[in-house]
Amino acid sequence: MPAASGTPRPPARSGERGIPEAAVARLPLYLRALGGLAEAGETTVSSEELAAASGVNSAKVRKDLSYLGSYGTRGVGYDVQQLVHLIARELGLTQDWPVLIVGIGNLGHALAGYGGFASRGFRVAGLVDADPARVGEEVGGVAVSHLDQLESIVRAEQVSIGVIATPAAAAQSVCDRLVAAGVTSVLNFAPCVLAVPPQVGVRKVDLSIELQILAFHEQRRNVAVAGVAT
Amino acid sequence: MPAASGTPRPPARSGERGIPEAAVARLPLYLRALGGLAEAGETTVSSEELAAASGVNSAKVRKDLSYLGSYGTRGVGYDVQQLVHLIARELGLTQDWPVLIVGIGNLGHALAGYGGFASRGFRVAGLVDADPARVGEEVGGVAVSHLDQLESIVRAEQVSIGVIATPAAAAQSVCDRLVAAGVTSVLNFAPCVLAVPPQVGVRKVDLSIELQILAFHEQRRNVAVAGVAT
DNA sequence: AAGGCCTTGTGAACGAACGCACAAAGTCGA
DNA sequence: TCGACTTTGTGCGTTCGTTCACAAGGCCTT
């Protein structure tokens, strides 16, 4: 019987800026919506409007924005430009983020050419692939280098964010090399779990997982209907 | 503390199958991990092993699996094949899901060629694009049709899941057409919010949002370090 | 046959997140 | 200037999700 004498006491609220993870995940949504509103010529926006434009509930919007400080004007709303700037700053998008994409298959191609990166401060600092036949090809204005160049690109371009778009079998070794070279955040598109040191951040996107979740709900609806019909 | 008797409080078990959303989102993860274990020749797996292979915590694994019924053997673990079948059935992956992909740009290409779909029961039943120059091109064994064909493909192939990989500007109108034609689940890659009737399911994937969340944590780490150094 | 060992299944405590509802605070019209 | 109106900011109850910890249960060795 191991006495519960360990210290399972993670100081959740460590007195520092403690903006909840769930709120962080919504900030990019607001930013996107605000971009649209700004283009439409809006100068101020209420929490209700922003909520509609970003697909969340207005109380949540207000609470999330309150974590950034209270910059709204009661009776009026928020200043669009100020909010854009505030959110961008909070997310760290006011600086340049060099990104290295590893694996230039179909998905890597799509990512390299994705317009949504540049507008948020992400710059494709390099593309690498293990296939020599792909080296030299230019994608989205950047030439593909060989996988061997991974370390030198990370160092030369001060890359801190790596994107893995390789097959699952290669992902872990690529990840290890990225981390060893100095990358501290990884976005993983390969369908596998990555092991990284605790101070390295990882997020994963698995296209087929999203479809499977959709299928679950789809099936459930059908079963429910069938059940009623029976 | 002995087991409290007194007033037994069944934990709000709504007589119907009430498997929590968070658990559903993890089932595909388990399924993937189990695939790997099966290939490695494992016939049984403990919650601890499965947890390691899918990157979650073992208590969560056990609780999630318990929603599917109790099919583990104490002292041994779970039967891999049985678990695969059980999860697949729960997710509705034992049937064929025809999928229509709209927008065959870089991303649409990647999706059409993505191997992770077929192995989970998803079949690309059609590809459509608004650009006549793309019509006829073959991607992943399926020919691209014109956007005009959207409705007829949905009906002919009994498509219930649509994937939107168009620019944001086109997404809502495409979505409306999908829904009108009978699609009841939508996976949206366009960076915008979609309005749909309540009975239609939508999930979204925004590549740049994931990067922004990474950037937030990355920045935070840097600020923290700088703060200590100061 | 019996006891030890391992792993499941789950009650219960904890914590995070959500959303309501409302007071506070500012604007705008008269 | 004043009062009505609008919208923010947030305290609080509720729901959802995670984690701990342990009794129940089954296998295997002796």
Side-chain angles (χ1 to χ4, degrees):
Chain A
M1 278 150 268
S5 58
T7 318
R9 186 62 62 88
R13 186 64 57 84
S14 51
E16 211 46 45
R17 347 180 92 259
I19 161 169
E21 189 59 32
V24 172
R26 281 187 296 266
L27 292 182
L29 240 51
Y30 302 147
L31 200 51
R32 198 174 71 186
L34 287 166
L37 289 166
E39 261 184 48
E42 304 287 337
T43 60
T44 64
V45 62
S46 72
S47 62
E48 204 76 51
E49 293 170 305
L50 183 53
S54 44
V56 297
N57 146 322
S58 69
K60 226 183 312 195
V61 169
R62 289 197 297 277
K63 193 156 285 191
D64 288 347
L65 296 183
S66 81
Y67 294 124
L68 311 183
S70 299
Y71 293 96
T73 307
R74 299 179 189 219
V76 176
Y78 303 85
D79 181 88
V80 172
Q81 288 306 327
Q82 186 185 25
L83 215 44
V84 166
H85 184 70
L86 222 61
I87 295 178
R89 195 166 52 105
E90 185 68 27
L91 288 173
L93 305 181
T94 50
Q95 59 185 277
D96 178 73
W97 291 106
V99 170
L100 173 65
I101 302 177
V102 184
I104 313 301
N106 277 327
L107 184 57
H109 255 88
L111 293 171
Y114 183 46
F117 290 166
S119 61
R120 294 283 181 263
F122 299 103
R123 179 172 54 84
V124 177
L127 304 172
V128 302
D129 196 288
D131 182 356
R134 280 219 178 85
V135 173
E137 182 186 349
E138 192 165 303
V139 183
V142 179
V144 177
S145 305
H146 188 267
L147 184 58
D148 293 342
Q149 305 297 307
L150 187 150
E151 286 81 5
S152 61
I153 294 175
V154 168
R155 299 213 172 92
E157 300 276 351
Q158 305 240 5
V159 172
S160 54
I161 300 180
V163 176
I164 298 181
T166 65
Q172 183 65 60
S173 92
V174 164
C175 179
D176 292 343
R177 287 177 62 178
L178 286 170
V179 170
V183 163
T184 45
S185 290
V186 174
L187 181 56
N188 180 32
F189 285 91
C192 64
V193 175
L194 291 179
V196 293
Q199 72 276 12
V200 173
V202 179
R203 290 191 71 86
K204 62 179 180 335
V205 176
D206 186 323
L207 308 174
S208 95
I209 283 183
E210 296 300 321
L211 266 184
Q212 291 173 59
I213 298 173
L214 271 179
F216 169 80
H217 292 293
E218 182 70 29
Q219 178 199 228
R220 210 152 115 119
R221 263 194 299 273
N222 296 347
V223 168
V225 170
V228 168
T230 314
Chain B
M1 307 292 192
S5 41
T7 340
R9 177 64 72 86
R13 183 60 53 86
S14 47
E16 214 49 42
R17 350 181 87 259
I19 162 168
E21 189 59 32
V24 172
R26 280 186 296 265
L27 292 182
L29 240 50
Y30 302 147
L31 199 50
R32 199 174 70 186
L34 288 167
L37 290 167
E39 261 185 49
E42 304 287 338
T43 60
T44 64
V45 63
S46 72
S47 63
E48 204 76 50
E49 293 170 306
L50 184 51
S54 45
V56 298
N57 145 327
S58 71
K60 227 182 313 195
V61 170
R62 288 197 298 276
K63 189 151 283 190
D64 288 348
L65 295 184
S66 81
Y67 293 124
L68 310 185
S70 299
Y71 293 97
T73 307
R74 301 181 188 217
V76 176
Y78 303 87
D79 182 88
V80 172
Q81 289 305 328
Q82 186 184 27
L83 214 44
V84 165
H85 184 70
L86 220 63
I87 296 178
R89 194 166 54 103
E90 185 68 28
L91 288 172
L93 305 181
T94 49
Q95 61 185 278
D96 178 72
W97 290 105
V99 170
L100 173 65
I101 301 177
V102 184
I104 313 300
N106 277 327
L107 184 57
H109 255 89
L111 294 171
Y114 183 46
F117 290 167
S119 61
R120 295 281 180 265
F122 299 102
R123 179 171 54 83
V124 177
L127 304 171
V128 303
D129 196 288
D131 182 356
R134 281 218 177 86
V135 173
E137 182 186 349
E138 192 164 304
V139 183
V142 180
V144 176
S145 305
H146 189 266
L147 184 58
D148 293 342
Q149 305 297 307
L150 186 150
E151 286 80 5
S152 61
I153 295 176
V154 168
R155 299 213 173 92
E157 300 276 351
Q158 306 239 8
V159 171
S160 55
I161 300 181
V163 176
I164 299 181
T166 65
Q172 182 65 60
S173 92
V174 164
C175 179
D176 292 344
R177 289 177 61 180
L178 286 170
V179 169
V183 163
T184 45
S185 289
V186 175
L187 181 55
N188 179 32
F189 285 91
C192 63
V193 175
L194 291 179
V196 293
Q199 71 277 13
V200 173
V202 180
R203 291 191 70 87
K204 62 179 179 335
V205 176
D206 185 324
L207 308 174
S208 96
I209 283 183
E210 297 300 321
L211 265 184
Q212 290 173 61
I213 298 173
L214 271 180
F216 170 81
H217 292 294
E218 181 70 29
Q219 179 200 224
R220 209 152 113 121
R221 264 194 297 273
N222 296 346
V223 168
V225 170
V228 169
T230 314

